[in-house]
Amino acid sequence: MTPHLIPLLHLASPQLPAGGFAYSQGLEAAVETGLVTDAASAGGWISGVLNASLARFEAPVLGGLVAAWQHGQAAEAERLDRLFAASRETSELLDETGRMGRALGVWLRDLGIAGVAELRLLEGLRPQTYPAAFACAAAALGIEPGDAATAYLWVWLENQVMAAVKLVPLGQTAGQRLLLDLGPQLPAIAERALDLPESEWSGLAPGLAILSSRHETQYSRLFRS
């Protein structure tokens, strides 16, 4: 059995009050413009963002943040937090990570999961990004970087699939099929992410950035991003 399995499941639970359900990260704009119209194109979009952006940047940053929290490396945690914030290419993506990070920070504080020093550092981050808060929670719960990265990717994937179910729309069975298709890839993606040298980190996803920009002025929206 994986050590700290229950805390890991807790951290990956959709019931965690971080607010990820409110965001589609450009998927809503992809549906609006006709790029995503069915289960196949939804799977292509989600898989593309997963492999082009999360696997090569967001997951490596998350792994580095977990290690920084574990070893009390405050300067490194601050550096990676700023690096991630700088990578958000639109105002709504930056707002999203800040809102989710602050919400998760409140959860950590109210339940007494993180220590005083860790909370002081987390609450002092400007902005307090979601990966920084997630990593702080993982370290406090004794979760190793690889497992934390896998859980982080699962949270993102589940939110994306649930957004697709609402937006395309897809049936629940089609949504579950996407999770079954893409979910098994996550441990290997997390493992590669942690082995990726920082000189090779890249979150380049021009299509996502363009559609996120369009979403900011989209006439009718269900999601914040």
Side-chain angles (χ1 to χ4, degrees), residues 50-61 189 193 196-197 200-204:
L50 173 64
N51 286 284
S53 182
L54 274 85
R56 298 190 57 82
F57 185 77
E58 202 157 332
V61 169
I189 290 174
L196 194 67
E200 297 181 20
W201 291 3
S202 173
L204 181 64

Side-chain angles (χ1 to χ4, degrees), residues 17-18 98-114 119 122-123 128 133:
R99 287 179 183 273
M100 290 180 64
R102 290 191 297 273
L104 195 54
V106 170
W107 176 78
L108 283 167
R109 183 193 65 211
D110 289 352
L111 293 184
I113 292 173
L119 285 173
L122 181 63
E123 292 170 356
Q128 183 178 312

Side-chain angles (χ1 to χ4, degrees), residues 4 69 137 176:
H4 308 293
W69 286 113
Q176 290 300 309

Side-chain angles (χ1 to χ4, degrees), residues 25-26 29 45 49 53 87-93 203-216:
Q25 296 197 352
W45 172 269
V49 176
S53 182
S87 76
R88 303 300 86 189
E89 295 172 296
T90 64
S91 60
E92 68 175 24
L93 291 177
L204 181 64
L208 173 60
I210 292 169
L211 286 172
S212 177
S213 296
R214 290 182 178 179
H215 186 265
E216 291 180 343

Side-chain angles (χ1 to χ4, degrees), residues 123-202:
E123 292 170 356
L125 295 177
R126 295 291 183 273
Q128 183 178 312
T129 66
Y130 178 60
F134 193 98
C136 181
L141 292 168
I143 299 169
E144 291 302 312
D147 288 337
T150 301
Y152 184 92
L153 293 171
W154 174 261
V155 171
W156 177 86
L157 175 61
E158 191 171 39
N159 282 335
Q160 285 283 286
V161 169
M162 291 305 100
V165 167
K166 296 175 183 177
L167 290 166
V168 175
L170 302 179
Q172 290 293 334
T173 299
Q176 290 300 309
R177 187 173 291 114
L178 281 176
L179 289 175
L180 286 173
D181 289 344
L182 297 173
Q185 302 175 23
L186 301 185
I189 290 174
E191 184 177 356
R192 290 194 299 270
L194 267 59
D195 290 336
L196 194 67
E198 186 168 345
S199 60
E200 297 181 20
W201 291 3
S202 173

